[in-house]
């Protein structure tokens, strides 16, 4: 790989040494990210994330896979209708039905893109698609042509491109561009490639595909070997003009390239890459927080850029250096990526506007209704705790976002008896509509297990607990406990979140939140289930 960014721009005229080329950021948090197990979002959540991504300054937003389910279709349609200033993209397999459906969802977007994909590697051709190379080329051409009949912004992805024979990849790419593709995305679908290989593959395409200058080359890397970011950076060094990535790196299996890492690598090492993006980096942490809260996928403490410890200096020698000169141990500043300067925020006398403002700085744009309900909880908390920290607000908002499904079952009261040598006993009262129901369960390994049984007995909804975590939202013994559960019901995963200064209560709230998600899901028509994955 060269050490200077002197390669020409795939999307325009050759860049001369020393000039800065713009890299498009294509965010697929709402599509590939949402495919992570347990990460599915409802419509309100997707709209909220879409607004945040727009504020972040991404260029293209992959809003979903419209044919996958009516829920996906509606989300893409609504995002296309409300989001402005960004290209909204919908995914489609290479067939008429998918492409027509994608366009139907996208057609109201001022800037729309249809993203068509078809696998090209020998392994996918033979075992999954059972198609010959000629059939693949014909199908790719036909799909791109159909999409291009709807809009002039068409992306084509040869799925598993990084394991596709060079000659065949060149042939498919050339045919797709001739049929109207304006972006050619090169996915490392299984996260198998290395940075050197990605560099060579992009260079090879640029050298061998005769019409390549008519399309932007894009890169889409999965993180199975932990190389997604490095591979994406290698691709842009080789001349790719677009990176596909997700917030916090969420996505299929080990995830996708993390947007915040790609962007900060390009920014911090501008001296090396000489590349730019449109991202407002001060929105990285707030957006990361929103996505984590919404999907329930926690960000590891030591995660680059947005992890809680990303800017914490523990070793004495480091602290000493930092006090003398920050750049001794810091290559970027916490403020630059959106970490707030102060943590101590509000108290009993703080008003609604102050709460809304703080929530916004933390990454949450609350609607009037959400603010109303978070403010009510905030006041209750302020009676119990003198000082309310950012962590408290994040937890309260997290619970509100979790409740964005209409809660059918509400907690009225509970009582717990437990001890080292006794069977736990939980008495639970829930409300459904106008009716209240009470059950006592004396069983289980502990009060949490007993609470699960009690909820199941009252609601009649059977679940298997797949994950359960409680963490304190802030420091101190009076801190709120945030409980998160992931439960399985009829083969699907549902998550729930609950917050209270009493951790048993937060757990019961989390279980109920998951149950309410199950109820709202089963009330949808049957066909609102994901399509079986034949791709
Ligand atoms: O990983 C992949 O190959 C994809 C394609 C649909 C672009 O997500
Ligand atoms: Zn992918």
């Amino acid at each position: 790989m060269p050490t200077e960014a002197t390669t020409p721009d795939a999307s325009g005229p050759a860049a001369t040494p020393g000039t800065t080329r713009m890299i498009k950021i294509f965010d697929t948090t709402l599509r590939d990210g949402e495919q992570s197990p347990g990460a599915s979002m409802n419509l309100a959540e997707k709209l909220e994330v879409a607004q945040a991504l727009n504020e972040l300054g991404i260029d293209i937003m992959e809003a979903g896979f419209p044919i996958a389910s009516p829920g996906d279709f509606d989300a893409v349609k609504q995002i296309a209708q409300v989001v402005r200033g960004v290209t909204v993209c919908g995914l489609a397999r290479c067939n008429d039905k998918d492409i027509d459906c994608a366009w139907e969802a996208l057609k109201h977007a001022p800037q729309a893109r249809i993203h068509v994909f078809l696998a090209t590697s020998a392994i996918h051709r033979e075992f999954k698609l059972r198609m010959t190379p000629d059939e693949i080329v014909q199908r790719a051409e036909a799909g791109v042509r159909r999409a291009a009949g709807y809009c002039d912004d068409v992306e084509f992805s040869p799925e598993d491109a990084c394991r596709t024979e060079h000659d065949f990849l060149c042939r498919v790419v050339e045919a797709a561009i001739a049929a109207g593709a304006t972006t050619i995305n090169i996915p490392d679908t299984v996260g198998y490639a290395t940075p050197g290989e990605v560099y060579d593959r992009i260079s090879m395409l640029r050298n061998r595909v005769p019409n390549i200058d008519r399309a932007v080359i894009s890169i889409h890397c999965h993180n199975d070997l932990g190389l997604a970011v490095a591979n994406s950076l290698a691709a842009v060094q080789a001349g790719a003009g677009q990176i596909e990535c997700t917030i916090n790196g969420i996505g299929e299996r080990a995830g996708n390239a993390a947007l915040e890492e790609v962007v900060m690598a390009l920014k911090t090492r501008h001296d090396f890459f000489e590349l730019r993006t449109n991202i407002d980096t001060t929105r990285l942490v707030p957006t990361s927080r929103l996505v984590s809260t919404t999907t329930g996928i926690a960000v590891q403490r030591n995660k680059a850029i947005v992890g809680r410890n990303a800017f914490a200096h523990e070793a004495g020698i480091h602290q000493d250096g930092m006090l003398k000169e920050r750049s001794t141990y810091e290559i970027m500043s916490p403020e630059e990526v959106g970490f707030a300067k102060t943590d101590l925020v509000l108290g009993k006398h703080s008003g609604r506007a102050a709460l809304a403002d703080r929530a916004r700085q933390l990454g949450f744009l609350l609607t009037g209704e959400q603010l109303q309900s978070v403010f009510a909880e905030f006041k209750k908390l302020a009676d119990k705790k003198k000082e309310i920290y950012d962590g408290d607000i994040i937890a309260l908002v997290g619970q509100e976002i979790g409740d964005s499904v209409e809660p059918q079952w509400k907690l009225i009261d509970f009582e717990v008896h437990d001890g080292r040598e006794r069977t736990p006993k939980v008495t639970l009262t829930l409300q459904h509509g106008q009716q209240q129901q009470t059950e006592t369960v004396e069983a289980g390994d502990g009060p949490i297990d007993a609470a699960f049984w009690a909820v199941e007995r009252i609601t009649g909804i059977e679940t298997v607990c797949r994950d359960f975590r409680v963490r304190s939202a802030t420091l101190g013994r009076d801190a709120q406990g945030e409980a998160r559960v992931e439960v399985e019901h009829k083969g699907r995963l549902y998550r729930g979140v609950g917050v209270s200064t009493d951790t048993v209560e937060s757990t019961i709230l989390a279980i109920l939140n998951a149950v309410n998600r199950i109820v709202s899901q089963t009330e949808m028509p049957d066909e609102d289930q994901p399509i079986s994955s034949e791709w």
Side-chain angles (χ1 to χ4, degrees):
M1 276 180 271
T3 51
E4 280 181 312
T6 55
T7 45
D9 184 346
S11 60
T16 45
T19 59
T20 307
R21 191 158 60 92
M22 182 66 94
I23 299 298
K24 294 183 187 194
I25 296 295
F26 175 114
D27 178 276
T28 182
T29 305
L30 292 168
R31 199 278 298 169
D32 215 327
E34 213 236 356
Q35 282 175 219
S36 337
S40 58
M41 298 174 232
N42 63 31
L43 182 58
E45 291 168 340
K46 284 186 185 173
L47 282 168
E48 192 159 1
V49 171
Q51 300 284 15
L53 291 171
N54 201 10
E55 274 198 40
L56 179 65
I58 61 166
D59 302 285
I60 302 109
M61 175 184 309
E62 190 162 49
F65 187 10
I67 195 86
S69 70
D72 254 53
F73 179 88
D74 283 346
V76 176
K77 188 172 170 185
Q78 292 224 21
I79 290 170
Q81 280 169 342
V82 301
V83 168
R84 292 289 170 265
V86 61
T87 297
V88 180
C89 173
L91 184 67
R93 287 169 298 187
C94 221
N95 65 57
D96 293 357
K97 214 171 146 209
D98 275 37
I99 294 165
D100 297 351
C101 177
W103 178 247
E104 193 51 37
L106 288 166
K107 66 184 180 194
H108 296 295
Q111 297 152 251
R113 173 181 294 188
I114 303 178
H115 178 188
V116 181
F117 74 100
L118 180 65
T120 50
S121 64
I123 211 163
H124 281 239
R125 291 192 315 256
E126 283 165 30
F127 297 105
K128 188 181 78 171
L129 299 173
R130 296 181 202 285
M131 286 168 77
T132 65
D134 285 349
E135 285 168 336
I136 297 276
V137 174
Q138 279 159 19
R139 176 81 79 88
E141 276 174 336
V144 170
R145 199 166 293 120
R146 192 170 187 93
Y150 287 127
C151 72
D152 54 14
D153 189 346
V154 176
E155 173 166 327
F156 175 72
S157 286
E159 192 193 4
D160 206 14
C162 288
R163 291 194 300 171
T164 299
E165 310 91 307
H166 284 195
D167 288 353
F168 185 58
L169 186 61
C170 288
R171 194 179 151 203
V172 179
V173 166
E174 184 180 348
I177 296 173
T182 46
T183 298
I184 293 293
N185 180 42
I186 302 301
D188 181 18
T189 304
V190 292
Y192 182 72
T194 65
E197 284 171 341
V198 170
Y199 185 91
D200 289 346
R201 191 168 286 267
I202 301 294
S203 305
M204 182 279 294
L205 288 169
R206 297 187 64 217
N207 290 329
R208 289 186 48 190
V209 176
N211 54 3
I212 196 72
D213 56 345
R214 283 166 42 194
V216 174
I217 301 180
S218 166
I219 187 76
H220 175 113
C221 295
H222 280 270
N223 204 30
D224 300 66
L225 293 174
L227 293 172
V229 170
N231 285 342
S232 305
L233 295 172
V236 289
Q237 275 189 281
Q242 172 179 293
I243 297 179
E244 303 201 351
C245 43
T246 59
I247 300 293
N248 300 335
I250 64 170
E252 278 281 325
R253 306 180 310 278
N256 290 65
L259 181 149
E260 60 279 3
E261 294 178 24
V262 161
V263 166
M264 287 313 290
L266 294 180
K267 186 173 183 202
T268 309
R269 294 307 314 276
H270 182 263
D271 61 319
F272 177 77
F273 291 107
E274 294 189 349
L275 299 170
R276 279 179 301 132
T277 71
N278 281 322
I279 297 297
D280 171 0
T281 60
T282 63
R283 299 301 301 164
L284 288 172
V285 168
T287 313
S288 155
R289 221 174 249 144
L290 175 70
V291 168
S292 164
T293 305
T294 309
T295 58
I297 299 180
V299 173
Q300 83 202 50
R301 269 171 189 252
N302 63 330
K303 164 86 177 60
I305 318 295
V306 294
R308 239 165 104 177
N309 288 0
F311 293 89
H313 301 272
E314 187 63 29
I317 193 166
H318 288 202
Q319 288 172 350
D320 180 53
M322 282 288 293
L323 289 173
K324 289 177 177 144
E325 166 56 47
R326 282 182 87 132
S327 62
T328 50
Y329 287 101
E330 239 174 43
I331 58 167
M332 33 190 177
S333 76
E335 292 81 22
E336 197 182 346
V337 300
F339 275 109
K341 275 205 183 87
T342 165
D343 191 33
L344 179 60
V345 273
L346 307 174
K348 208 178 167 112
H349 303 294
S350 306
R352 215 176 292 252
L355 176 67
D357 183 56
R358 194 65 201 163
R360 200 197 155 282
Q361 283 181 39
L362 291 169
F364 308 101
L365 263 181
L366 299 177
T367 61
E369 219 173 298
Q370 285 174 323
L371 178 61
Q372 185 85 357
S373 127
V374 175
F375 189 64
E377 292 304 316
F378 166 80
K379 283 287 172 190
K380 280 190 219 161
L381 184 64
D383 279 338
K384 296 186 202 164
K385 268 179 114 223
K386 235 178 45 220
E387 289 161 336
I388 308 234
Y389 295 87
D390 285 351
D392 289 310
I393 294 173
I394 294 168
L396 290 180
V397 174
Q399 165 144 301
E400 176 59 28
I401 290 176
D403 275 345
S404 62
V405 287
E406 185 54 35
Q408 304 255 355
W409 293 95
K410 290 186 183 141
L411 175 64
I412 300 300
D413 202 6
F414 72 96
E415 211 178 295
V416 177
H417 296 272
D418 196 18
R420 286 193 82 176
E421 300 297 334
R422 56 182 292 183
T423 309
K425 183 172 158 189
V426 169
T427 300
L428 194 62
T429 304
L430 302 184
Q431 180 161 330
H432 187 255
Q434 297 305 313
Q435 285 199 321
Q436 289 195 0
Q437 219 174 309
T438 300
E439 278 284 345
T440 297
V441 170
E442 201 165 353
D445 296 331
I448 304 304
D449 195 15
F452 266 101
W453 283 112
V455 170
E456 196 166 306
R457 261 200 216 161
I458 298 179
T459 62
I461 292 173
E462 288 178 23
T463 58
V464 179
C465 179
R466 292 289 177 218
D467 195 13
F468 167 54
R469 278 168 286 150
V470 184
R471 62 169 202 104
S472 88
T474 54
L475 301 175
R477 281 159 52 170
D478 62 349
Q480 296 188 97
E482 181 192 76
R484 288 192 174 268
V485 296
E486 197 169 271
V487 300
E488 194 179 320
H489 172 77
K490 296 191 177 161
R492 293 190 66 173
L493 288 174
Y494 298 84
R495 58 179 191 281
V497 59
V499 177
S500 168
T501 44
D502 177 326
T503 51
V504 177
E505 180 173 352
S506 57
T507 306
I508 297 172
L509 289 170
I511 300 170
L512 280 180
N513 185 221
V515 165
N516 283 323
R517 278 176 186 270
I518 295 171
V519 177
S520 73
Q521 190 72 36
T522 38
E523 277 174 357
M524 283 185 190
D526 256 5
E527 63 272 23
D528 196 13
Q529 304 293 329
I531 51 166
S532 62
S533 169
E534 48 177 281
W535 44 287

